[in-house]
Amino acid sequence: MNQKSCLNCGHSVSDEFCPHCGQKTDTARITPKSIIKNDILGSIWHVEARFFNTLKDIIFRPGKTAMDYIAGKRIRYNNFIPLLLVLFSFNVLGLHYYEKFASAEVLADDSEVKDFLSKYSKAVLFVIIPMLAVNAYFLFRRIKLNIAEHFIIGTVSLLGILILFLLDDIVSLIGLWKPVSKIFFVIDQLLFGIALLFPAVTYWNAFKNSYTSWGMVWRVVGLYFLMGLESTVIGLILYEIF
């Protein structure tokens, strides 16, 4: 087997990566070609491919993505917590531009929803995940996941909601440009409905092989019931405080 020394730490290596420091063993002299191919184009492609792979898997197989991440299969994905903050920022930006370009008449129709999101968006972000995690911990005890692992599943669920809300923001902005078209209203309502159902899709996709269909149905319904009850209590508390 061909042995050589790692250029970073001097450790003897014979594989693709140095077992001591992790640097790639094909590291060579920097040339104009290597800067363009590896440092610029390679880095951009790696970041973008990983980012869009993460978004795609969250939308189309959210539960499987969460369970893979929990099982340690993480190199394919961006870290979920920073991604959550990025998508949250995009949603705030989308809401800002919607309010900026929408007419007073349009804003009047949904002002209560927009006001709530503007005032309590951070609270919603930090409350939904723990609520999902704690409720699912008790409802899906057979899976034997700890509370932190359920936190990851809740995070993936909220990520899916934020992706759908971001798409909804884009549709709403296009709808302002062509308000006579009913298709944007239909898409808007469809995306909103899917977003509401996304936690159910996430948990069904994650645990469908561990429970019967009826077992999954009553647990998902129970999850929504508890979430609705807790959200009502939190909403009343916020209303009384503010």
Side-chain angles (χ1 to χ4, degrees):
M1 188 175 288
N2 186 25
Q3 293 277 342
K4 57 183 177 180
S5 297
C6 173
L7 296 179
N8 183 57
C9 66
H11 196 82
S12 179
V13 293
S14 59
D15 211 337
E16 185 179 357
F17 293 92
C18 173
H20 186 256
C21 70
Q23 178 166 288
K24 294 190 70 171
T25 55
D26 64 354
T27 303
R29 184 176 181 180
I30 297 172
T31 64
K33 180 181 178 180
S34 72
I35 285 181
I36 295 172
K37 180 181 177 181
N38 300 324
D39 295 337
I40 299 176
L41 296 179
S43 297
I44 292 173
W45 169 251
H46 177 72
V47 170
E48 287 190 348
R50 199 174 187 186
F51 178 77
F52 287 112
N53 278 333
T54 304
L55 298 187
K56 175 177 68 69
D57 285 353
I58 287 172
I59 286 295
F60 292 107
R61 49 173 209 154
K64 181 69 165 56
T65 298
M67 295 303 287
D68 282 350
Y69 193 89
I70 290 168
K73 301 174 183 178
R74 300 171 190 168
I75 194 168
R76 175 182 173 85
Y77 304 116
N78 285 107
N79 188 290
F80 292 150
I81 304 302
L83 183 59
L84 188 71
L85 298 176
V86 169
L87 289 175
F88 178 70
S89 299
F90 283 157
N91 273 271
V92 171
L93 193 62
L95 180 61
H96 167 74
Y97 280 105
Y98 177 82
E99 292 179 336
K100 180 178 179 180
F101 294 115
S103 65
E105 182 180 352
V106 171
L107 289 175
D109 291 337
D110 52 8
S111 59
E112 290 186 5
V113 176
K114 301 300 180 182
D115 287 344
F116 179 83
L117 290 175
S118 298
K119 291 179 181 178
Y120 305 123
S121 55
K122 291 185 177 65
V124 170
L125 176 66
F126 290 107
V127 167
I128 284 181
I129 296 175
M131 284 168 58
L132 282 170
V134 171
N135 292 328
Y137 176 79
F138 290 105
L139 288 168
F140 297 96
R141 290 298 295 271
R142 184 189 301 175
I143 310 301
K144 299 188 183 303
L145 298 178
N146 62 43
I147 196 68
E149 290 166 332
H150 276 289
F151 187 92
I152 293 298
I153 301 175
T155 300
V156 170
S157 186
L158 183 56
L159 281 168
I161 293 172
L162 290 177
I163 293 169
L164 290 166
F165 277 174
L166 183 59
L167 293 174
D168 189 46
D169 288 339
I170 296 171
V171 169
S172 297
L173 285 168
I174 297 173
L176 293 175
W177 177 52
K178 284 188 172 290
V180 295
S181 178
K182 298 295 184 182
I183 186 66
F184 297 113
F185 176 78
V186 173
I187 296 173
D188 175 78
Q189 297 301 307
L190 183 62
L191 287 171
F192 185 75
I194 296 173
L196 290 180
L197 292 174
F198 200 80
V201 174
T202 301
Y203 286 97
W204 193 283
N205 185 236
F207 302 139
K208 63 183 179 181
N209 294 326
S210 300
Y211 295 93
T212 64
S213 296
W214 169 244
M216 283 300 303
V217 167
W218 79 256
R219 283 175 173 84
V220 169
V221 170
L223 181 67
Y224 272 77
F225 174 78
L226 292 172
M227 291 286 291
L229 185 63
E230 293 156 357
S231 299
T232 301
V233 172
I234 293 171
L236 290 173
I237 292 172
L238 291 174
Y239 181 79
E240 291 295 329
I241 293 175
F242 299 102

